[in-house]
Amino acid sequence: MAEEQTELEERIIIKDQHTKEIDLVNRDPKHINEDVVKVDFEDVIAEPVGTYSFDGVWKASYTTFTVSKYWCYRLLSAILGIPLAVIWGFIFALISFCHIWAVVPCIKSYLIEIQCVSRIYSLCIHTFCDPLFEALSKICSNIRVALRKEI
C-alpha cells in the first residue's frame, strides 16, 4: 500500500511539472526583464524647461503613447506569442538534447583519453626530468652565499 502511494505521488509530481499553475499577476517572478522593457512615456519623451507644448497636446501624447504601447504589445503577443513560444521551446529542447547526447559524452570521452596521456606524460617526466633535476640539485647543494656589509 505504501509503495502504491509513493508511485501515485511520483506520477502527480511528474504531471505537475508540465501542468503547474502559473501566476497571472506576477508574470516575471525572477525579474529577468526588470531593467530591459520598463519604458514609460517619461523615459522616452521629455520637454526641457522653456520649450513646453500645449498642455492638451502633452496629455494627449502621454495617453496615445501609453495606450498604443499597451495594445500593440497585446496584439503582437496574441499573434506571435504562441508561435515564438513553440520556436523557443524547440530551440531550448535542441540545446538540451545536444548537451545531453553530444557535449557531455564528448567531455567524458576526452577525460578518459587524457587520463591515459597524463600517465604517459608523468612516466616521461619521472624518467627523464627527475634524474636531471636531482643531479642539478646535488651540484648546486654545495654553493654557499655569504652577505657582507661593507662600510
PDB file of all heavy atoms in Angstrom, residues 63-89:
ATOM      1  N   THR A  63      -1.249  59.872 -23.294  1.00  0.00           N
ATOM      2  CA  THR A  63      -2.295  58.852 -23.414  1.00  0.00           C
ATOM      3  C   THR A  63      -2.092  58.013 -24.669  1.00  0.00           C
ATOM      4  O   THR A  63      -2.189  56.781 -24.623  1.00  0.00           O
ATOM      5  CB  THR A  63      -3.677  59.529 -23.445  1.00  0.00           C
ATOM      6  OG1 THR A  63      -3.810  60.340 -22.274  1.00  0.00           O
ATOM      7  CG2 THR A  63      -4.789  58.510 -23.476  1.00  0.00           C
ATOM      8  N   THR A  64      -1.775  58.665 -25.779  1.00  0.00           N
ATOM      9  CA  THR A  64      -1.558  57.943 -27.034  1.00  0.00           C
ATOM     10  C   THR A  64      -0.380  56.982 -26.923  1.00  0.00           C
ATOM     11  O   THR A  64      -0.471  55.825 -27.330  1.00  0.00           O
ATOM     12  CB  THR A  64      -1.314  58.932 -28.185  1.00  0.00           C
ATOM     13  OG1 THR A  64      -2.405  59.843 -28.257  1.00  0.00           O
ATOM     14  CG2 THR A  64      -1.155  58.214 -29.510  1.00  0.00           C
ATOM     15  N   PHE A  65       0.716  57.446 -26.357  1.00  0.00           N
ATOM     16  CA  PHE A  65       1.899  56.597 -26.186  1.00  0.00           C
ATOM     17  C   PHE A  65       1.569  55.394 -25.313  1.00  0.00           C
ATOM     18  O   PHE A  65       1.859  54.247 -25.682  1.00  0.00           O
ATOM     19  CB  PHE A  65       3.042  57.408 -25.560  1.00  0.00           C
ATOM     20  CG  PHE A  65       4.269  56.589 -25.266  1.00  0.00           C
ATOM     21  CD1 PHE A  65       5.249  56.415 -26.232  1.00  0.00           C
ATOM     22  CD2 PHE A  65       4.455  55.997 -24.021  1.00  0.00           C
ATOM     23  CE1 PHE A  65       6.379  55.668 -25.971  1.00  0.00           C
ATOM     24  CE2 PHE A  65       5.582  55.236 -23.757  1.00  0.00           C
ATOM     25  CZ  PHE A  65       6.548  55.078 -24.733  1.00  0.00           C
ATOM     26  N   THR A  66       0.971  55.637 -24.164  1.00  0.00           N
ATOM     27  CA  THR A  66       0.695  54.573 -23.203  1.00  0.00           C
ATOM     28  C   THR A  66      -0.282  53.552 -23.768  1.00  0.00           C
ATOM     29  O   THR A  66      -0.038  52.345 -23.710  1.00  0.00           O
ATOM     30  CB  THR A  66       0.144  55.179 -21.897  1.00  0.00           C
ATOM     31  OG1 THR A  66       1.063  56.180 -21.434  1.00  0.00           O
ATOM     32  CG2 THR A  66      -0.008  54.132 -20.833  1.00  0.00           C
ATOM     33  N   VAL A  67      -1.381  54.019 -24.344  1.00  0.00           N
ATOM     34  CA  VAL A  67      -2.400  53.103 -24.863  1.00  0.00           C
ATOM     35  C   VAL A  67      -1.885  52.347 -26.082  1.00  0.00           C
ATOM     36  O   VAL A  67      -2.098  51.129 -26.209  1.00  0.00           O
ATOM     37  CB  VAL A  67      -3.702  53.874 -25.171  1.00  0.00           C
ATOM     38  CG1 VAL A  67      -4.690  53.015 -25.914  1.00  0.00           C
ATOM     39  CG2 VAL A  67      -4.308  54.409 -23.891  1.00  0.00           C
ATOM     40  N   SER A  68      -1.191  53.042 -26.988  1.00  0.00           N
ATOM     41  CA  SER A  68      -0.696  52.353 -28.190  1.00  0.00           C
ATOM     42  C   SER A  68       0.371  51.325 -27.828  1.00  0.00           C
ATOM     43  O   SER A  68       0.404  50.231 -28.405  1.00  0.00           O
ATOM     44  CB  SER A  68      -0.171  53.349 -29.210  1.00  0.00           C
ATOM     45  OG  SER A  68       0.944  54.048 -28.703  1.00  0.00           O
ATOM     46  N   LYS A  69       1.230  51.639 -26.875  1.00  0.00           N
ATOM     47  CA  LYS A  69       2.235  50.664 -26.432  1.00  0.00           C
ATOM     48  C   LYS A  69       1.549  49.442 -25.836  1.00  0.00           C
ATOM     49  O   LYS A  69       1.914  48.297 -26.143  1.00  0.00           O
ATOM     50  CB  LYS A  69       3.178  51.305 -25.408  1.00  0.00           C
ATOM     51  CG  LYS A  69       4.292  50.387 -24.940  1.00  0.00           C
ATOM     52  CD  LYS A  69       5.156  51.041 -23.888  1.00  0.00           C
ATOM     53  CE  LYS A  69       4.718  50.502 -22.559  1.00  0.00           C
ATOM     54  NZ  LYS A  69       5.560  50.815 -21.451  1.00  0.00           N
ATOM     55  N   TYR A  70       0.544  49.679 -25.014  1.00  0.00           N
ATOM     56  CA  TYR A  70      -0.194  48.601 -24.350  1.00  0.00           C
ATOM     57  C   TYR A  70      -0.884  47.695 -25.371  1.00  0.00           C
ATOM     58  O   TYR A  70      -0.737  46.475 -25.341  1.00  0.00           O
ATOM     59  CB  TYR A  70      -1.206  49.224 -23.384  1.00  0.00           C
ATOM     60  CG  TYR A  70      -2.107  48.242 -22.685  1.00  0.00           C
ATOM     61  CD1 TYR A  70      -1.644  47.507 -21.607  1.00  0.00           C
ATOM     62  CD2 TYR A  70      -3.423  48.063 -23.106  1.00  0.00           C
ATOM     63  CE1 TYR A  70      -2.479  46.605 -20.952  1.00  0.00           C
ATOM     64  CE2 TYR A  70      -4.258  47.167 -22.467  1.00  0.00           C
ATOM     65  CZ  TYR A  70      -3.786  46.443 -21.390  1.00  0.00           C
ATOM     66  OH  TYR A  70      -4.609  45.546 -20.756  1.00  0.00           O
ATOM     67  N   TRP A  71      -1.618  48.287 -26.308  1.00  0.00           N
ATOM     68  CA  TRP A  71      -2.388  47.489 -27.264  1.00  0.00           C
ATOM     69  C   TRP A  71      -1.515  46.872 -28.351  1.00  0.00           C
ATOM     70  O   TRP A  71      -1.792  45.769 -28.823  1.00  0.00           O
ATOM     71  CB  TRP A  71      -3.538  48.300 -27.860  1.00  0.00           C
ATOM     72  CG  TRP A  71      -4.658  48.377 -26.872  1.00  0.00           C
ATOM     73  CD1 TRP A  71      -5.019  49.447 -26.125  1.00  0.00           C
ATOM     74  CD2 TRP A  71      -5.528  47.302 -26.482  1.00  0.00           C
ATOM     75  NE1 TRP A  71      -6.058  49.118 -25.292  1.00  0.00           N
ATOM     76  CE2 TRP A  71      -6.392  47.799 -25.496  1.00  0.00           C
ATOM     77  CE3 TRP A  71      -5.648  45.973 -26.866  1.00  0.00           C
ATOM     78  CZ2 TRP A  71      -7.369  47.026 -24.892  1.00  0.00           C
ATOM     79  CZ3 TRP A  71      -6.635  45.192 -26.265  1.00  0.00           C
ATOM     80  CH2 TRP A  71      -7.478  45.709 -25.292  1.00  0.00           C
ATOM     81  N   CYS A  72      -0.462  47.563 -28.759  1.00  0.00           N
ATOM     82  CA  CYS A  72       0.459  46.955 -29.730  1.00  0.00           C
ATOM     83  C   CYS A  72       1.138  45.735 -29.120  1.00  0.00           C
ATOM     84  O   CYS A  72       1.289  44.701 -29.783  1.00  0.00           O
ATOM     85  CB  CYS A  72       1.512  47.966 -30.189  1.00  0.00           C
ATOM     86  SG  CYS A  72       0.875  49.183 -31.341  1.00  0.00           S
ATOM     87  N   TYR A  73       1.540  45.839 -27.862  1.00  0.00           N
ATOM     88  CA  TYR A  73       2.149  44.682 -27.196  1.00  0.00           C
ATOM     89  C   TYR A  73       1.148  43.532 -27.106  1.00  0.00           C
ATOM     90  O   TYR A  73       1.490  42.387 -27.393  1.00  0.00           O
ATOM     91  CB  TYR A  73       2.651  45.055 -25.793  1.00  0.00           C
ATOM     92  CG  TYR A  73       3.179  43.852 -25.068  1.00  0.00           C
ATOM     93  CD1 TYR A  73       4.458  43.369 -25.341  1.00  0.00           C
ATOM     94  CD2 TYR A  73       2.403  43.168 -24.148  1.00  0.00           C
ATOM     95  CE1 TYR A  73       4.942  42.237 -24.703  1.00  0.00           C
ATOM     96  CE2 TYR A  73       2.880  42.034 -23.506  1.00  0.00           C
ATOM     97  CZ  TYR A  73       4.145  41.571 -23.792  1.00  0.00           C
ATOM     98  OH  TYR A  73       4.616  40.454 -23.168  1.00  0.00           O
ATOM     99  N   ARG A  74      -0.070  43.841 -26.721  1.00  0.00           N
ATOM    100  CA  ARG A  74      -1.097  42.789 -26.612  1.00  0.00           C
ATOM    101  C   ARG A  74      -1.374  42.149 -27.969  1.00  0.00           C
ATOM    102  O   ARG A  74      -1.514  40.935 -28.072  1.00  0.00           O
ATOM    103  CB  ARG A  74      -2.381  43.359 -26.037  1.00  0.00           C
ATOM    104  CG  ARG A  74      -2.272  43.590 -24.554  1.00  0.00           C
ATOM    105  CD  ARG A  74      -3.612  43.661 -23.949  1.00  0.00           C
ATOM    106  NE  ARG A  74      -3.508  43.089 -22.609  1.00  0.00           N
ATOM    107  CZ  ARG A  74      -4.533  42.759 -21.894  1.00  0.00           C
ATOM    108  NH1 ARG A  74      -5.737  42.907 -22.365  1.00  0.00           N
ATOM    109  NH2 ARG A  74      -4.373  42.266 -20.696  1.00  0.00           N
ATOM    110  N   LEU A  75      -1.467  42.956 -28.999  1.00  0.00           N
ATOM    111  CA  LEU A  75      -1.731  42.434 -30.336  1.00  0.00           C
ATOM    112  C   LEU A  75      -0.571  41.568 -30.828  1.00  0.00           C
ATOM    113  O   LEU A  75      -0.782  40.459 -31.332  1.00  0.00           O
ATOM    114  CB  LEU A  75      -1.997  43.595 -31.307  1.00  0.00           C
ATOM    115  CG  LEU A  75      -2.355  43.218 -32.727  1.00  0.00           C
ATOM    116  CD1 LEU A  75      -3.703  42.493 -32.757  1.00  0.00           C
ATOM    117  CD2 LEU A  75      -2.408  44.454 -33.599  1.00  0.00           C
ATOM    118  N   LEU A  76       0.652  42.064 -30.674  1.00  0.00           N
ATOM    119  CA  LEU A  76       1.817  41.288 -31.092  1.00  0.00           C
ATOM    120  C   LEU A  76       1.944  39.984 -30.307  1.00  0.00           C
ATOM    121  O   LEU A  76       2.262  38.935 -30.874  1.00  0.00           O
ATOM    122  CB  LEU A  76       3.099  42.121 -30.934  1.00  0.00           C
ATOM    123  CG  LEU A  76       3.313  43.206 -31.965  1.00  0.00           C
ATOM    124  CD1 LEU A  76       4.472  44.102 -31.568  1.00  0.00           C
ATOM    125  CD2 LEU A  76       3.545  42.592 -33.328  1.00  0.00           C
ATOM    126  N   SER A  77       1.693  40.049 -28.997  1.00  0.00           N
ATOM    127  CA  SER A  77       1.798  38.816 -28.202  1.00  0.00           C
ATOM    128  C   SER A  77       0.680  37.840 -28.553  1.00  0.00           C
ATOM    129  O   SER A  77       0.888  36.627 -28.518  1.00  0.00           O
ATOM    130  CB  SER A  77       1.811  39.133 -26.701  1.00  0.00           C
ATOM    131  OG  SER A  77       0.599  39.737 -26.310  1.00  0.00           O
ATOM    132  N   ALA A  78      -0.506  38.349 -28.931  1.00  0.00           N
ATOM    133  CA  ALA A  78      -1.596  37.461 -29.339  1.00  0.00           C
ATOM    134  C   ALA A  78      -1.275  36.782 -30.668  1.00  0.00           C
ATOM    135  O   ALA A  78      -1.562  35.605 -30.860  1.00  0.00           O
ATOM    136  CB  ALA A  78      -2.904  38.243 -29.441  1.00  0.00           C
ATOM    137  N   ILE A  79      -0.649  37.510 -31.576  1.00  0.00           N
ATOM    138  CA  ILE A  79      -0.352  36.969 -32.898  1.00  0.00           C
ATOM    139  C   ILE A  79       0.911  36.111 -32.887  1.00  0.00           C
ATOM    140  O   ILE A  79       0.941  35.013 -33.448  1.00  0.00           O
ATOM    141  CB  ILE A  79      -0.205  38.102 -33.931  1.00  0.00           C
ATOM    142  CG1 ILE A  79      -1.546  38.828 -34.112  1.00  0.00           C
ATOM    143  CG2 ILE A  79       0.302  37.582 -35.266  1.00  0.00           C
ATOM    144  CD1 ILE A  79      -1.447  40.111 -34.927  1.00  0.00           C
ATOM    145  N   LEU A  80       1.956  36.595 -32.239  1.00  0.00           N
ATOM    146  CA  LEU A  80       3.261  35.934 -32.318  1.00  0.00           C
ATOM    147  C   LEU A  80       3.668  35.169 -31.063  1.00  0.00           C
ATOM    148  O   LEU A  80       4.659  34.441 -31.086  1.00  0.00           O
ATOM    149  CB  LEU A  80       4.343  36.976 -32.636  1.00  0.00           C
ATOM    150  CG  LEU A  80       4.174  37.734 -33.949  1.00  0.00           C
ATOM    151  CD1 LEU A  80       5.217  38.822 -34.068  1.00  0.00           C
ATOM    152  CD2 LEU A  80       4.240  36.781 -35.114  1.00  0.00           C
ATOM    153  N   GLY A  81       2.933  35.335 -29.971  1.00  0.00           N
ATOM    154  CA  GLY A  81       3.333  34.725 -28.703  1.00  0.00           C
ATOM    155  C   GLY A  81       3.427  33.215 -28.750  1.00  0.00           C
ATOM    156  O   GLY A  81       4.445  32.629 -28.372  1.00  0.00           O
ATOM    157  N   ILE A  82       2.394  32.560 -29.236  1.00  0.00           N
ATOM    158  CA  ILE A  82       2.382  31.095 -29.270  1.00  0.00           C
ATOM    159  C   ILE A  82       3.380  30.554 -30.294  1.00  0.00           C
ATOM    160  O   ILE A  82       4.142  29.639 -29.964  1.00  0.00           O
ATOM    161  CB  ILE A  82       0.954  30.570 -29.486  1.00  0.00           C
ATOM    162  CG1 ILE A  82       0.119  30.908 -28.243  1.00  0.00           C
ATOM    163  CG2 ILE A  82       0.953  29.071 -29.755  1.00  0.00           C
ATOM    164  CD1 ILE A  82      -1.335  30.555 -28.346  1.00  0.00           C
ATOM    165  N   PRO A  83       3.451  31.087 -31.518  1.00  0.00           N
ATOM    166  CA  PRO A  83       4.481  30.566 -32.439  1.00  0.00           C
ATOM    167  C   PRO A  83       5.905  30.759 -31.907  1.00  0.00           C
ATOM    168  O   PRO A  83       6.742  29.867 -32.031  1.00  0.00           O
ATOM    169  CB  PRO A  83       4.267  31.370 -33.720  1.00  0.00           C
ATOM    170  CG  PRO A  83       2.849  31.819 -33.666  1.00  0.00           C
ATOM    171  CD  PRO A  83       2.543  32.012 -32.208  1.00  0.00           C
ATOM    172  N   LEU A  84       6.167  31.913 -31.301  1.00  0.00           N
ATOM    173  CA  LEU A  84       7.505  32.127 -30.755  1.00  0.00           C
ATOM    174  C   LEU A  84       7.773  31.224 -29.551  1.00  0.00           C
ATOM    175  O   LEU A  84       8.902  30.765 -29.351  1.00  0.00           O
ATOM    176  CB  LEU A  84       7.705  33.596 -30.379  1.00  0.00           C
ATOM    177  CG  LEU A  84       7.924  34.528 -31.563  1.00  0.00           C
ATOM    178  CD1 LEU A  84       7.938  35.984 -31.112  1.00  0.00           C
ATOM    179  CD2 LEU A  84       9.207  34.185 -32.293  1.00  0.00           C
ATOM    180  N   ALA A  85       6.732  30.940 -28.759  1.00  0.00           N
ATOM    181  CA  ALA A  85       6.901  30.003 -27.642  1.00  0.00           C
ATOM    182  C   ALA A  85       7.262  28.615 -28.160  1.00  0.00           C
ATOM    183  O   ALA A  85       8.117  27.933 -27.583  1.00  0.00           O
ATOM    184  CB  ALA A  85       5.629  29.950 -26.807  1.00  0.00           C
ATOM    185  N   VAL A  86       6.631  28.208 -29.262  1.00  0.00           N
ATOM    186  CA  VAL A  86       6.963  26.915 -29.876  1.00  0.00           C
ATOM    187  C   VAL A  86       8.408  26.928 -30.373  1.00  0.00           C
ATOM    188  O   VAL A  86       9.172  25.979 -30.151  1.00  0.00           O
ATOM    189  CB  VAL A  86       5.984  26.586 -31.029  1.00  0.00           C
ATOM    190  CG1 VAL A  86       6.461  25.387 -31.829  1.00  0.00           C
ATOM    191  CG2 VAL A  86       4.593  26.345 -30.490  1.00  0.00           C
ATOM    192  N   ILE A  87       8.804  27.998 -31.046  1.00  0.00           N
ATOM    193  CA  ILE A  87      10.172  28.097 -31.572  1.00  0.00           C
ATOM    194  C   ILE A  87      11.189  28.064 -30.443  1.00  0.00           C
ATOM    195  O   ILE A  87      12.180  27.323 -30.493  1.00  0.00           O
ATOM    196  CB  ILE A  87      10.334  29.369 -32.437  1.00  0.00           C
ATOM    197  CG1 ILE A  87       9.521  29.218 -33.721  1.00  0.00           C
ATOM    198  CG2 ILE A  87      11.796  29.653 -32.751  1.00  0.00           C
ATOM    199  CD1 ILE A  87       9.390  30.500 -34.524  1.00  0.00           C
ATOM    200  N   TRP A  88      10.957  28.883 -29.383  1.00  0.00           N
ATOM    201  CA  TRP A  88      11.898  28.902 -28.260  1.00  0.00           C
ATOM    202  C   TRP A  88      11.907  27.577 -27.512  1.00  0.00           C
ATOM    203  O   TRP A  88      12.966  27.117 -27.056  1.00  0.00           O
ATOM    204  CB  TRP A  88      11.600  30.068 -27.317  1.00  0.00           C
ATOM    205  CG  TRP A  88      12.077  31.374 -27.868  1.00  0.00           C
ATOM    206  CD1 TRP A  88      11.324  32.432 -28.254  1.00  0.00           C
ATOM    207  CD2 TRP A  88      13.436  31.745 -28.138  1.00  0.00           C
ATOM    208  NE1 TRP A  88      12.123  33.435 -28.746  1.00  0.00           N
ATOM    209  CE2 TRP A  88      13.421  33.042 -28.673  1.00  0.00           C
ATOM    210  CE3 TRP A  88      14.660  31.113 -27.982  1.00  0.00           C
ATOM    211  CZ2 TRP A  88      14.582  33.704 -29.054  1.00  0.00           C
ATOM    212  CZ3 TRP A  88      15.817  31.774 -28.356  1.00  0.00           C
ATOM    213  CH2 TRP A  88      15.764  33.062 -28.884  1.00  0.00           C
ATOM    214  N   GLY A  89      10.747  26.942 -27.395  1.00  0.00           N
ATOM    215  CA  GLY A  89      10.710  25.612 -26.783  1.00  0.00           C
ATOM    216  C   GLY A  89      11.537  24.630 -27.581  1.00  0.00           C
ATOM    217  O   GLY A  89      12.294  23.827 -27.021  1.00  0.00           O
TER     218      GLY A  89
END
